[in-house]
Amino acid sequence: MSPKMTKAELTAFMTREFPQVADDFMIDDLRAMHLTLRLRVAERHLRPGGTVSGPAIFALADVGMYLAVLSMIGPQALAVTTNCSLDFMRKPVAGADLIADVRLLKLGRVLAVGDVLVRSDGAEAPAARANLTYSIPPSEVER
C-alpha cells in the first residue's frame, strides 16, 4: 500500500487547514505507514527551565500521527484522536528540534493505531513515546 498524499500535499493541507501551527512542523520523511515529523522548537514551546513543554511534545506526536494517517487515506480533515498514551522518558536536548518517528501499526476502515518515538535532533535515545488511536471518518460512499 502506497501513500495517497505526498510530503508537499500534506504540507499544503496543514497550511490550508491549520495555518496557526503549520509553520511549527516539517515533514522529514514519508513512506508507506511511516512518517518522520520535525517540531521546529522555538521559545513558545519551552516551559520554565528551558525544556520543551509536555503540550508541545504531545502536539508533535499527535500531528505526526494525524499526518501519517492522512498520508495513507487522503485529505480527510475530520480524522480525530480517540486515544493517546504518552510517556516522558528523558529531558529533550536544549536548543534542538524534536523529531517524531511515526509508525502506523494498523490502518483499518474505522480506526488507525500507531506509535511515535520522539527524540531530540542528533540524539539516539527517545525523549518520549506515544501510542495513539485515530478514528477515521466514513467515506462519502459509506454515509
Side-chain angles (χ1 to χ4, degrees):
M1 175 187 296
S2 297
K4 291 185 177 181
M5 295 180 75
T6 65
K7 286 176 18 176
E9 290 168 333
L10 287 167
T11 299
F13 176 86
M14 279 293 289
T15 300
R16 184 176 61 253
E17 299 295 330
F18 301 99
Q20 67 276 28
V21 297
D23 288 340
D24 287 351
F25 302 100
M26 182 175 80
I27 300 167
D28 285 349
D29 185 42
L30 174 62
R31 293 176 270 137
M33 305 290 279
H34 181 267
L35 181 130
T36 304
L37 186 67
R38 173 182 302 268
L39 172 64
R40 296 174 175 133
V41 175
E43 189 172 339
R44 69 182 169 281
H45 300 118
L46 304 180
R47 66 174 181 83
T51 191
V52 178
S53 71
I57 294 171
F58 170 81
L60 174 60
D62 192 43
V63 171
M65 179 69 174
Y66 181 68
L67 293 175
V69 169
L70 293 187
S71 76
M72 298 305 294
I73 67 171
Q76 296 188 38
L78 297 180
V80 295
T81 309
T82 59
N83 187 58
C84 178
S85 173
L86 181 59
D87 297 310
F88 299 99
M89 297 160 44
R90 60 187 46 83
K91 183 178 176 179
V93 175
D97 286 351
L98 290 183
I99 309 295
D101 291 312
V102 182
R103 182 176 56 150
L104 292 175
L105 303 172
K106 178 183 187 279
L107 182 62
R109 239 181 5 88
V110 178
L111 294 176
V113 178
D115 66 16
V116 181
L117 284 179
V118 175
R119 62 180 173 77
S120 296
D121 191 16
E124 293 285 327
R129 174 189 69 136
N131 299 304
L132 294 104
T133 304
Y134 258 74
S135 176
I136 300 170
S139 69
E140 294 298 320
V141 175
E142 295 171 346
R143 288 185 196 168

